[in-house]
Amino acid sequence: MMPENAVQSAKDTILKVEDLRIEFRIGRKWYAATRNVDFELKADETLALVGESGCGKSITCRAILGLVDEPGSRTRGSINFKGQELVGLPDRKFQHIRGKDLAMIFQEPMTALNPVMRVGEQISEAITSHMQVSGAEARRRTLELMESVRIPAPEQRYRDYPHQFSGGMRQRVVIAMALACQPSVLLADEPTTALDVTIQAQVLSELRELRERNQMSVIFITHSMGVVAAVADRVAVMYAGEVVEVAEVETVFKEPRHPYTQALLASIPSVESDKEDLQVIPGQVPSIVDFPEACRFAERCPHVMPRCRQEAPPRFQVGSTEVRCWLYESENGETGQ
Amino acid sequence: MLRYVTIKLSYAMVTLFAVMLLVFMLARVIPGDPAQLMLGDQASQSAIDSLRERLGLDQPLYLQFLDFLTGLAQGDWGTSLYTREPVLNSILEVLPYTLELTAASLLFGAVVGIPFGIWAALHRNRFIDYATRIGSLLGLSFPAFVSGIMLLLVFGIWLGWFPVLSTARGGSFEDRLLSLALPTVNLGILMAAYIARMTRSSMLAVLGEDYVQTARAKGVARHLIIRRHALRNAIIPVVTVIGLYVGILIGNSVLTEIVFNRPGIGKLIVGSMNQRDYPMLQGLMVLYTLLVILVNLATDLVYGLLDPRVKYQ
């Protein structure tokens, strides 16, 4: 009984996002940049959030950290983190969660660091913001962190400024900052996109190692299916601000359910295939001001039915996959809105 | 850092040389013969000739320029046509008043402008932001002679808090401070307005930067984000602008010095222009150039201290 229980609790849900709706005011009207964003993150797993540019992956991540609070924006729905509701949490309380239990790595290492502050100070700031430690202790831990993300000669590099670092090294600094307080959830927003391919592979494998060592759960944002295959346990596919499919990583590649996921996989160029032309998805992503009320993919979908243009599809359960598409209505098993 | 200072210093020398050449040429292209101008219409040809020789005007131009430069370097800035005093003496006599006023106005501008700029940026499109923007617009649009007279009227005459006429040279430290107050505010309003606008826009730009978001994601407290991350970056362009405006400030001190009847470079310039005192004007141009170059140099050095990226370029 006991071991089974332990396994059970290890797979507990640590973060649950339900019907997340991030809205922006343009003129006098509110427009939903995301809606129907539902996914769960379990302990010790990596969930990949996949979609093309502008599909709402990054803003979803920022919303989880409570960083979408500019005037003219509002967040609805629910983000439950270890039993605490994060939507509507006042900034002062959020400040104690950010960087401590929930940390984030950003896409652009070139701009994510403060250019006039020493790198070591920027890392140790992540420590001193959450822990009562002496300056010397913060420094010691910073050097440890720098070593753990493989920054050579940390003692010397501590006093350097970001412009003295290469892109890959800067991203390691950003990762060190994120890991400073051993967070239980790491949000990684395309952390390797801005890097060279070889550095990319290095950073990916190091991230995987760090995840295992620190027993973190990771939400990994990417637009690359190759990266998904390399890092993810489960995948949430986003299109035009909605999560359209959530499934285990093998299932997604073997049996993609949503027509968008299918098209996305078909558009990956393959070395083996003889085809000269790249497969593309016809049409364009609608802009935020004319997102349709019904299915947002309908206009580009090869299987479109009249119903798709009238009503937004709810979530259907197909095997272990959750998918928002009317095609699966007959298979039944609606799981929610 | 040493390399950076050396480079900046050599740039300053080049600029100085170029401007000196310009000043020198300007005096030579003014229509009419300087000797004739100095002596007036009634002078005899022989008197003009002897003065030309004494001034070295019969020499080739490059020799004249060399003389001009060595003269400047040795402190011989010529003699005023009006007072017959050495130009340098007259300038040095009033320079402290102008420097004192400029420095005080600069301080006033920074102390008022920077906090208001930050405050406005942090409350964008709220009351304090609009108030700051309207206030700075007023500060920029009021001519110095209007605001000066209004200040004198309200604080000098109606309330009687400050002296209407500046204390003559000397006087106790307190007296000097009191008589400096209104001119400082008058000249400083403009500076405060510039600095507030610049700080606000610079701060707004920086608050939207990725590294501010990174700092938030780290869980850094709000006041530390503003001080350590936003302000330290936002202040860099502000310093540059302050440096640029110091030149304008010295120029603007003319009106303030006249309205408040203070001795100073401004009054000297106006006086020399009325009296067509060319050697004095030339000396003042040289001084003005020196001041602007020095301020620019100082700005560059401060810039190098504030922004670690600069030194390595």
Side-chain angles (χ1 to χ4, degrees):
Chain A
M1 268 322 260
M2 277 305 282
E4 231 180 78
N5 253 344
V7 169
Q8 188 65 41
S9 66
K11 285 289 171 197
D12 273 353
T13 297
I14 190 162
L15 183 79
K16 185 168 181 166
V17 177
E18 277 177 303
D19 194 23
L20 183 66
R21 222 181 145 87
I22 305 163
E23 298 180 312
F24 290 95
R25 199 176 52 209
I26 301 172
R28 296 214 160 151
K29 280 180 75 181
W30 289 90
Y31 293 92
T34 72
R35 67 168 192 190
N36 295 332
V37 171
D38 302 89
F39 58 82
E40 289 179 9
L41 179 69
K42 299 198 167 71
D44 281 334
E45 79 164 355
T46 299
L47 173 76
L49 209 53
V50 198
E52 54 200 295
S53 311
C55 71
K57 334 175 273 259
S58 290
I59 197 142
T60 299
C61 246
R62 281 178 50 212
I64 293 172
L65 268 190
L67 295 177
V68 183
D69 58 356
E70 49 265 59
S73 71
R74 64 184 185 196
T75 306
R76 299 284 170 84
S78 159
I79 300 169
N80 190 302
F81 176 59
K82 291 183 173 174
Q84 186 176 17
E85 179 54 52
L86 297 185
V87 172
L89 191 70
D91 198 66
R92 207 170 301 163
K93 285 192 180 156
F94 226 133
Q95 185 190 309
H96 298 296
I97 302 173
R98 275 187 218 128
K100 186 167 188 242
D101 220 10
L102 257 178
M104 184 155 177
I105 305 174
F106 295 90
Q107 181 173 357
E108 270 299 332
M110 303 318 251
T111 52
L113 294 173
N114 184 344
V116 303
M117 208 169 154
R118 293 180 201 284
V119 160
E121 286 168 17
Q122 296 194 51
I123 300 175
S124 77
E125 190 182 40
I127 300 169
T128 52
S129 290
H130 299 290
M131 295 182 225
Q132 300 289 329
V133 292
S134 68
E137 174 64 12
R139 193 188 143 87
R140 194 188 60 75
R141 289 198 197 181
T142 300
L143 292 175
E144 250 174 46
L145 278 166
M146 289 172 82
E147 205 157 332
S148 75
V149 295
R150 308 213 175 131
I151 295 173
E155 290 272 354
Q156 289 146 44
R157 299 303 258 166
Y158 187 96
R159 288 183 55 79
D160 279 350
Y161 288 97
H163 68 268
Q164 292 163 286
F165 280 64
S166 66
M169 281 298 152
R170 282 189 217 192
Q171 194 57 291
R172 292 193 160 97
V173 172
V174 175
I175 294 171
M177 277 177 352
L179 298 180
C181 297
Q182 296 176 321
S184 46
V185 172
L186 179 70
L187 308 171
D189 184 0
E190 307 217 20
T192 58
T193 305
L195 304 176
D196 291 343
V197 185
T198 44
I199 308 288
Q200 213 169 37
Q202 266 177 38
V203 171
L204 275 184
S205 79
E206 283 168 30
L207 264 177
R208 205 167 28 216
E209 226 181 280
L210 289 165
R211 189 196 77 73
E212 276 159 24
R213 204 187 314 152
N214 293 357
Q215 299 194 318
M216 288 182 296
S217 307
V218 176
I219 295 181
F220 202 106
I221 297 187
T222 181
H223 61 256
S224 151
M225 278 304 194
V227 172
V228 171
V231 299
D233 300 313
R234 281 191 315 131
V235 182
V237 181
M238 282 189 85
Y239 177 77
E242 287 182 311
V243 170
V244 293
E245 177 162 359
V246 181
E248 303 286 322
V249 67
E250 297 86 7
T251 319
V252 165
F253 281 96
K254 256 187 252 158
E255 291 175 288
R257 299 289 183 177
H258 196 280
Y260 175 68
T261 316
Q262 293 164 0
L264 200 62
L265 287 166
S267 68
I268 302 174
S270 152
V271 185
E272 289 106 55
S273 110
D274 300 330
K275 276 183 241 156
E276 290 275 310
D277 294 335
L278 287 173
Q279 290 285 312
V280 293
I281 307 175
Q284 281 178 341
V285 185
S287 105
I288 178 170
V289 287
D290 28 61
F291 277 158
E293 270 308 307
C295 176
R296 288 181 171 181
F297 191 60
E299 292 312 312
R300 307 172 74 186
C301 183
H303 311 293
V304 62
M305 306 177 286
R307 184 167 197 182
C308 305
R309 301 188 204 268
Q310 287 155 10
E311 234 181 307
R315 260 189 299 166
F316 295 107
Q317 186 87 36
V318 184
S320 63
T321 304
E322 283 172 15
V323 56
R324 270 183 200 279
C325 178
W326 285 118
L327 285 176
Y328 300 96
E329 192 192 8
S330 52
E331 307 199 15
N332 227 337
E334 187 174 326
T335 60
Q337 271 302 299
Chain B
M1 193 67 194
L2 192 69
R3 208 175 87 87
Y4 177 71
V5 174
T6 323
I7 292 172
K8 288 293 163 197
L9 212 60
S10 47
Y11 281 162
M13 295 310 288
V14 173
T15 317
L16 187 65
F17 182 81
V19 180
M20 287 304 133
L21 189 64
L22 213 64
V23 169
F24 172 78
M25 293 310 288
L26 216 57
R28 301 313 184 266
V29 294
I30 294 172
D33 183 34
Q36 173 95 58
L37 276 172
M38 284 175 163
L39 294 173
D41 296 339
Q42 314 295 315
S44 68
Q45 191 58 42
S46 63
I48 290 172
D49 285 342
S50 72
L51 184 62
R52 281 181 63 90
E53 200 174 322
R54 194 152 59 85
L55 292 175
L57 292 176
D58 50 345
Q59 305 273 334
L61 269 183
Y62 73 92
L63 275 184
Q64 288 186 41
F65 183 53
L66 221 61
D67 274 354
F68 170 71
L69 284 186
T70 40
L72 285 182
Q74 290 167 350
D76 173 16
W77 289 30
T79 309
S80 162
L81 295 183
Y82 186 69
T83 59
R84 303 282 164 198
E85 291 266 326
V87 165
L88 192 56
N89 286 8
S90 311
I91 289 177
L92 288 181
E93 200 177 318
V94 293
L95 184 61
Y97 293 92
T98 297
L99 290 185
E100 167 186 280
L101 177 61
T102 315
S105 308
L106 199 62
L107 193 70
F108 176 84
V111 166
V112 173
I114 292 175
F116 270 103
I118 297 170
W119 203 10
L122 294 179
H123 299 87
R124 190 179 188 181
N125 293 339
R126 306 254 285 280
F127 174 75
I128 183 66
D129 186 25
Y130 287 118
T132 304
R133 278 151 74 183
I134 291 169
S136 70
L137 196 66
L138 285 178
L140 288 177
S141 10
F142 256 98
F145 52 86
V146 177
S147 55
I149 288 168
M150 282 165 59
L151 283 173
L152 277 177
L153 198 63
V154 176
F155 296 100
I157 296 170
W158 292 351
L159 296 172
W161 291 351
F162 299 99
V164 174
L165 286 175
S166 294
T167 317
R169 306 161 195 221
S172 73
F173 180 70
E174 235 171 72
D175 285 347
R176 286 190 67 166
L177 220 55
L178 272 179
S179 64
L180 185 62
L182 287 183
T184 297
V185 172
N186 193 40
L187 191 54
I189 285 173
L190 185 75
M191 205 65 199
Y194 275 131
I195 294 178
R197 302 186 117 205
M198 190 66 207
T199 309
R200 175 183 176 272
S201 63
S202 177
M203 199 67 186
L204 281 177
V206 166
L207 285 173
E209 289 284 348
D210 284 354
Y211 51 80
V212 170
Q213 181 164 285
T214 309
R216 287 191 69 195
K218 273 193 278 186
V220 179
R222 187 178 144 86
H223 69 275
L224 289 177
I225 290 179
I226 292 164
R227 212 175 60 210
R228 267 191 219 153
H229 295 273
L231 192 57
R232 248 163 83 176
N233 280 285
I235 207 74
I236 296 170
V238 176
V239 167
T240 319
V241 166
I242 291 177
L244 287 176
Y245 281 125
V246 169
I248 296 174
L249 203 57
I250 298 173
N252 276 353
S253 63
V254 175
L255 287 172
T256 300
E257 281 170 0
I258 291 169
V259 172
F260 290 91
N261 197 31
R262 278 176 63 87
I265 298 293
K267 271 188 91 177
L268 197 59
I269 291 178
V270 175
S272 322
M273 284 208 283
N274 287 338
Q275 294 146 3
R276 294 176 194 278
D277 194 344
Y278 294 104
M280 184 65 88
L281 283 175
Q282 179 175 292
L284 287 165
M285 268 196 276
V286 170
L287 174 83
Y288 196 76
T289 311
L290 274 177
L291 285 179
V292 170
I293 287 178
L294 275 178
V295 169
N296 282 351
L297 187 65
T299 310
D300 275 340
L301 295 185
V302 172
Y303 197 87
L305 287 178
L306 287 177
D307 191 340
R309 285 164 297 185
V310 171
K311 280 174 265 178
Y312 299 88
Q313 276 160 13

